Amino acid sequence: MASQSEDRDAGGACFRRVTVLGPGLLGGSILLALRERRLVRETALWARRPEAVDRARECGFADCCTTDLARAIAGSDLVVLCTPIGAMPALAAQLAPALADDAIVTDVGSVKEPVVRELGSALGHARFVGGHPMAGSEQAGIEAARADLFAGAVCIVTPDPTTPPAVSDRVARFWSSLGGVVRTLDPATHDRVIAEASHLPHLVAAVLVNYVCGTTPDPLQFAGNGFRDTTRVASGPAAMWREILSYNRGHVREAITGMISSLQQARQLLETPDDGRLEALLASAKQRRDEMGHGRGHGGA
């Protein structure tokens, strides 16, 4: 048996067995990254559907692939919920009595305030820490999983005021060990910031596609790279994004209001004599976008 120091060397967060609940893009990528980086002794994957378990087992995603929740989490000291947000509270209630005493639970949900509130209540704030790796994609499913999905991606940890710092730190080091760039936000601030930086852009991309396709006959035959780049995220799973937007509807509504105001200001610039302000707006946007460089951030959710 390896010593505690050997565990620490093998895995940056000192976890021995990690269980992923949900065989999607993020869950599969976590398992691939753990295997490639040799970060833990053992991994487990739980899925609700037997065919999903069979597929994961055939591809060797985890040491244990099962539909039995108790078996999946037995002996695990980290459990990562990678299911839809709406499924998390019921799953947490099933988890609670079967967790090991020292187990920590985190998640990958794109909305944090309701998740932290409900799962913290079900599991205890001393063991649950919200997480959000901003490394999604318009692709979905375990078939799209990649071991390098989190390399260079921002991974946000969202402890609440009652979260023990040591627990939050272990979750942060877990994401860091997968290659993530860790940031910490409180759940409410996370939801406001991500509404503007991720949820609004997705909704705008969807509206833009529908607007263009609804006003111009066969417009996509004329679409160039600009339209494709601007609307790429609109190819994300519609059901998943409906859930995300619904759970963060308050902050997204505020972001829409701000966006409409900015668009109205831009329209006014087009309606007035050219005094340099339109070019200044474009130049400011170019400078800010260029400062982002080519780093990886939020690709999907």
Side-chain angles (χ1 to χ4, degrees):
M1 179 178 294
S3 67
Q4 187 177 29
S5 62
E6 288 173 330
D7 284 339
R8 182 176 294 108
D9 291 339
C14 308
F15 293 114
R16 300 177 301 276
R17 174 181 161 104
V18 174
T19 295
V20 168
L21 307 183
L25 169 66
L26 294 178
S29 295
I30 289 171
L31 292 168
L32 289 179
L34 290 172
R35 183 180 68 187
E36 183 173 285
R37 292 168 179 254
R38 299 180 181 180
L39 293 173
V40 295
R41 295 179 186 174
E42 189 177 5
T43 56
L45 172 66
W46 172 88
R48 194 178 304 277
R49 297 179 295 110
E51 55 268 31
V53 167
D54 292 341
R55 173 63 175 158
R57 186 181 293 121
E58 290 171 3
C59 296
F61 272 91
D63 300 304
C64 170
C65 300
T66 179
T67 58
D68 185 331
L69 185 61
R71 181 185 171 205
I73 67 174
S76 294
D77 47 357
L78 178 67
V79 177
V80 188
L81 279 79
C82 299
T83 64
I85 296 170
M88 289 182 182
L91 197 55
Q94 297 177 55
L95 280 177
L99 287 168
D101 291 341
D102 63 345
I104 293 173
V105 182
T106 189
D107 76 306
V108 300
S110 297
V111 183
K112 293 271 69 83
E113 194 168 19
V115 170
V116 170
R117 181 176 61 250
E118 295 187 44
L119 270 63
S121 176
L123 299 168
H125 290 281
R127 75 154 82 230
F128 176 76
V129 185
H132 180 197
M134 299 182 69
S137 168
E138 68 275 14
Q139 298 178 316
I142 200 167
E143 294 79 10
R146 307 195 326 260
D148 66 346
L149 187 69
F150 308 103
V154 172
C155 295
I156 306 173
V157 178
T158 60
D160 79 350
T162 65
T163 304
V167 173
S168 178
D169 180 62
R170 290 187 74 189
V171 172
R173 284 188 286 141
F174 169 74
W175 290 116
S176 180
S177 73
L178 300 186
V181 179
V182 177
R183 300 285 183 265
T184 301
L185 291 173
D186 66 85
T189 300
H190 168 280
D191 289 355
R192 177 182 59 78
V193 170
I194 299 305
E196 297 174 351
S198 173
H199 301 167
L200 175 66
H202 188 96
L203 189 56
V204 168
V207 171
L208 179 59
V209 169
N210 288 339
Y211 169 72
V212 171
C213 292
T215 59
T216 304
D218 197 14
L220 298 185
Q221 66 174 315
F222 306 109
N225 289 336
F227 185 81
R228 293 188 183 92
D229 291 346
T230 303
T231 60
R232 176 186 60 81
V233 294
S235 293
M240 180 188 80
W241 275 100
R242 175 201 55 77
E243 181 181 66
I244 290 170
L245 294 169
S246 296
Y247 270 90
N248 204 22
R249 67 177 73 239
H251 290 298
V252 175
R253 282 200 305 263
E254 292 177 4
I256 290 172
T257 299
M259 183 69 176
I260 290 173
S261 176
S262 294
L263 286 171
Q264 289 173 334
Q265 293 173 19
R267 184 175 63 183
Q268 289 174 0
L269 295 181
L270 291 171
E271 294 173 347
T272 57
D274 187 1
D275 58 3
R277 287 184 296 165
L278 179 59
E279 183 175 344
L281 180 152
L282 297 171
S284 174
K286 171 179 168 47
Q287 178 181 350
R288 290 170 172 174
R289 179 62 178 83
D290 289 348
E291 288 173 356
M292 293 175 61
H294 301 286
R296 297 179 58 188
H298 202 316

